[in-house]
Amino acid sequence: MAKDFDAMEDSNRSGNPSIHQLSDPARRIWLKGGTGALAMGLLAPLLPGCATTAGSGPLLGFKGIPTTDKDTMVVPEGYEAVAFAAWGEPIGVPGHMPAFRWDAGNPAADQAVQMGMHHDGLHYYPIDGSSTRGLLVMNHEYTDDGLLHADGMKTWSAEKVRKAQAAHGVSVIEIELKDGAWQIVRPSTYARRFTAYSPFAVGGPAAGHALMQTAADPAGRTVLGTLNNCASGLTPWGTYLSGEENFAFYFDGPKTPDADQRRWGLRETGFYRWPEHDPRFDAKQHPNEFHRFGWVVEIDPFDPTSTPVKRTALGRAAHEGAWIATTKNGRAVVYSGEDARFEYIYKFVTRDKIAPGGAKANATLLDHGTLYVARFDADGSGRWLPLVAGQGPLTAANGFADQGALVIKSRQASDRLGATKMDRPEWLAIDQKALTVYCTLTNNSQRGEKDRPGVDAANPRANNVMGQIIQWTEDGDFDGSTFRWKHLVLAGDPANERPEARGNINGDIFACPDGITLDARGVLWIQTDKHASQMYKGEMQRIGNNQMLACDRSTGEVRRFFTGPVNAEVTGATLTPDMRTMFINIQHPGESANDRSDPANPTKFSNWPDYREGGRPRSATVIIRKKDGGVIGT
């Protein structure tokens, strides 16, 4: 979700120095000297051998496509793309399969058993190893109330709040490839929705903590709901990880928030008006409810009776998502970032090894271990700083009486340690064999502004509207305390006048990298999320609609593979085991500049994917296949 929400997602006013304050002036000038110097140094591609190819053909075997501003989706010659499982489609809960109403007239009860709104991260889980039958699990990040309700927000009610909450969360659907086409299996015992009022258990050091206790949950161990679910991760034991991102937007706060609330972007009035009919989102009445969101949640998609868990040991943050690597001795390492200006990149190393036996055997694995935050030094080295209560400045006197308090205040703890303030870390992808992690830093238009951090080695451009992809390789193993880093690419358009907006792309231009996925062949898939307010003008005028590109890491070449409809984000990517079907998501087609559609004219910008008279744009999954049945990308 690469939106520039100023005050809410730009709350880091900590005094910890950035790299530019620590590195020498000569190096800072060199970094500012243009992308040519960068390309010769930090931006060198990965060493050959990190990417692999299938057979003797090239890694990128398709012809790249041009940019477009049309309200459609485009794939290369020889491929086909089909919209699937759009917002409002029934998920297949037995006995509860209401059809989508084109006038937005479905009540909250219907929405609770239909696909949610604004599809985001997703994963395919094969049933018995199958590439033709499995579960598709996906996030629904947020809602556009101008589309969700027939009259938008003209009137407001408890029913509208309940419907909006039902459109958030996560969907689990069973799908099957039958007679050459994918379909949702209905009914299905696997079909399930998690919403903003589903019960979630709390695991880890914050479970039962005083800061998690509320009048409705004095034990502090059961939270109702998950929301603003953005990217997703797949665990080696078969569960699904989902990040709760911009949770502060849903709360109303006191007129003068305290220092901790301000650090998390709490404002007097939120964006969604939920507190008017659901008082738990009024932080004046229920200040601890605010602490109960911003976690990574774990879901077992194969057990319809299981209760999902908020894994607090991984730290509270505006989590984009969470991705797992495995150490040589079998422990899990979870990487995550915060999609907010000047926030941080984290990793968590489990205390115990991954046990055989799947989800049940690893039910508490993510509750015990050590959380770290990253510092990127100017010489290309980096260090993981442990976030452990009682160590260094993380004392009770500074607000970290125990590990529960620390994980609730992960941002403040990271401030104290002097972690590196990044340009909005979004998705990550992990090369297990090479010990290398990639992270999209989507943009940061405030980098270098007055009273805000200036450029540094890891974030080298002022007014960074284009974004970049950073990579690091761990020293020794994924649980190591040090790493070496560099950039894979700076996004941009070389035709731009401003040097900071030109980038150094080898191949097809793009801006605002967001979703990122590394497939089994070694292709790095890059997805973009320019906001509607940026589209088709200024430095973005030649870049067109949001898109997905493929990167050959051994050469650095980037090639455009897919373009989405007008004002839509392209997000999420997952493949079947045989790599012959790719699923991606299209989020908020027809998005307006203020993030709310006009209910009187819902198709003003887009009518994708149905192009129906009297309809409305709908987020949906897209199924991409080669017409000859071959492997995606070849």
Side-chain angles (χ1 to χ4, degrees), residues 439-477:
C439 179
T440 53
L441 304 175
T442 194
N443 57 45
N444 186 352
S445 60
Q446 292 189 0
R447 176 72 64 177
E449 285 192 357
K450 183 180 180 181
D451 300 325
R452 306 304 290 127
V455 299
D456 58 43
N459 306 276
R461 294 187 285 182
N463 185 18
N464 179 18
V465 299
M466 294 294 179
Q468 63 260 18
I469 300 175
I470 199 168
Q471 66 181 77
W472 63 90
T473 300
E474 299 282 8
D475 291 333
D477 203 350

Side-chain angles (χ1 to χ4, degrees), residues 133-188:
R133 181 169 174 255
L135 304 183
L136 200 61
V137 187
M138 73 180 71
N139 295 335
H140 303 290
E141 186 175 2
Y142 66 107
T143 53
D144 179 342
D145 290 294
L147 292 177
L148 186 64
H149 316 293
D151 68 346
M153 301 182 79
K154 184 176 181 180
T155 61
W156 200 237
S157 66
E159 168 68 13
K160 285 186 173 181
V161 171
R162 191 73 167 178
K163 183 177 180 182
Q165 291 176 338
H168 280 71
V170 178
S171 288
V172 180
I173 57 175
E174 182 180 350
I175 61 173
E176 183 178 19
L177 181 62
K178 190 173 183 180
D179 298 327
W182 284 93
Q183 60 187 31
I184 301 175
V185 176
R186 302 188 183 104
S188 171

Side-chain angles (χ1 to χ4, degrees), residues 225-278:
T226 187
L227 49 83
N228 218 252
N229 301 79
C230 198
S232 57
L234 172 68
T235 71
W237 50 95
T239 59
Y240 180 84
L241 300 181
S242 177
E244 298 179 329
E245 194 186 0
N246 295 305
F247 62 92
F249 298 176
Y250 297 83
F251 288 83
D252 287 356
K255 187 172 183 178
T256 305
D258 63 32
D260 282 345
Q261 292 171 333
R262 287 196 304 273
R263 183 63 186 85
W264 291 92
L266 182 62
R267 301 180 71 185
E268 184 177 4
T269 302
F271 191 70
Y272 290 97
R273 296 180 63 184
W274 288 7
E276 296 176 27
H277 296 285
D278 189 345

Side-chain angles (χ1 to χ4, degrees), residues 193-208:
R193 281 296 319 281
F194 302 92
T195 70
Y197 47 80
S198 302
F200 282 72
V202 182

